[in-house]
Amino acid sequence: MQFPRFVELKRRDRTTDEASSEEEVGNETTPDEQLEQLHLVLRRQLAQELLARVKQCSPAFFERLVVQLLVAMGYGGSVADAGKAVGRSGDDGIDGIIKQDRLGLDNIYFQAKRWERTVPSEVVRTFHGSLALQRASRGVIITTSDFSSSAIETAKALGNIVLIDGNTLAGFMIEYNVGVTVAARYEVKRVDREFFAEG
């Protein structure tokens, strides 16, 4: 302790130890919180992998995938009678049609864009024109990429077109089990307080 340099090093070590213990206390999380964080990380990774796989598929496969997803979300009935992919040359910008309900009282027309680049507002306006030709009241544009801010504003202004970007698409696929399978299932159990209540 008689050497000033030694005293300085000891003081620095003590300060570093105190700072790291404070950081550990501040970062303490419960096992439930850790599990929730890990679940979010796994879901984010799955969404990225899913979107990458979808982008590798053919446009025709993507159109069929969209029909399956919309059916899984509750539109129509089964894939056989609820919707169909019609994308082809001369389809007037309509890639598929799906019944809004099981009775088929109204149809939803969709356009599937398996793109890397951002979808511009022109695509939204052209699709709106295609809906008018079909005398359709509602439409959905689904893309593997994203939409420009002007495309989003155009869709809001028109009011009858819903835009689904790549991240939202992957989220829906996970939520409705389209293109994914359960790899593992864990149950978190807690003490049943009512069971132990006496009297």
Side-chain angles (χ1 to χ4, degrees):
M1 296 298 290
Q2 58 185 331
F3 300 106
R5 179 82 179 126
F6 178 77
V7 172
E8 175 64 20
L9 285 171
K10 288 291 280 180
R11 189 184 62 75
R12 268 196 220 154
D13 287 346
R14 193 178 310 120
T15 308
T16 305
D17 287 345
E18 286 170 4
S20 62
S21 4
E22 281 174 17
E23 194 176 303
E24 284 173 15
V25 170
N27 286 339
E28 280 182 8
T29 54
T30 66
D32 284 353
E33 291 168 338
Q34 290 173 7
L35 194 59
E36 179 68 25
Q37 289 169 1
L38 287 172
H39 178 262
L40 291 173
V41 168
L42 288 172
R43 187 181 169 100
R44 212 171 8 253
Q45 289 173 346
L46 175 59
Q48 290 171 354
E49 184 183 346
L50 200 52
L51 201 51
R53 292 298 289 265
V54 170
K55 287 178 180 179
Q56 293 170 2
C57 298
S58 69
F61 180 90
F62 182 49
E63 290 166 10
R64 290 193 302 273
L65 181 153
V66 168
V67 170
Q68 285 183 299
L69 177 61
L70 291 172
V71 169
M73 292 173 75
Y75 293 98
S78 66
V79 173
D81 65 5
K84 59 181 177 178
V86 297
R88 62 187 178 278
S89 178
D91 60 14
D92 293 324
I94 305 294
D95 291 328
I97 306 165
I98 193 157
K99 295 175 184 173
Q100 185 172 354
D101 53 58
R102 290 176 185 272
L103 297 176
L105 297 174
D106 201 0
N107 289 331
I108 296 173
Y109 291 75
F110 71 82
Q111 191 172 77
K113 296 285 186 195
R114 191 183 54 83
W115 283 13
E116 289 287 345
R117 64 185 189 277
T118 299
V119 178
S121 59
E122 294 78 33
V123 169
V124 178
R125 285 195 294 273
T126 303
F127 184 59
H128 184 260
S130 298
L131 292 178
L133 284 173
Q134 298 288 334
R135 295 188 177 153
S137 57
R138 293 174 186 83
V140 181
I141 302 176
I142 301 176
T143 184
T144 51
S145 60
D146 55 10
F147 295 93
S148 69
S149 56
S150 61
I152 294 168
E153 289 304 316
T154 300
K156 281 182 186 171
L158 294 171
N160 66 336
I161 296 175
V162 174
L163 304 180
I164 298 177
D165 64 18
N167 290 329
T168 306
L169 169 66
F172 282 151
M173 288 178 71
I174 293 169
E175 184 177 347
Y176 291 97
N177 294 310
V178 174
V180 297
T181 185
V182 176
R185 194 181 301 272
Y186 303 97
E187 289 185 2
V188 178
K189 298 188 179 183
R190 291 187 175 83
V191 172
D192 182 352
R193 294 174 190 266
E194 288 180 16
F195 177 84
F196 291 98
E198 294 187 40

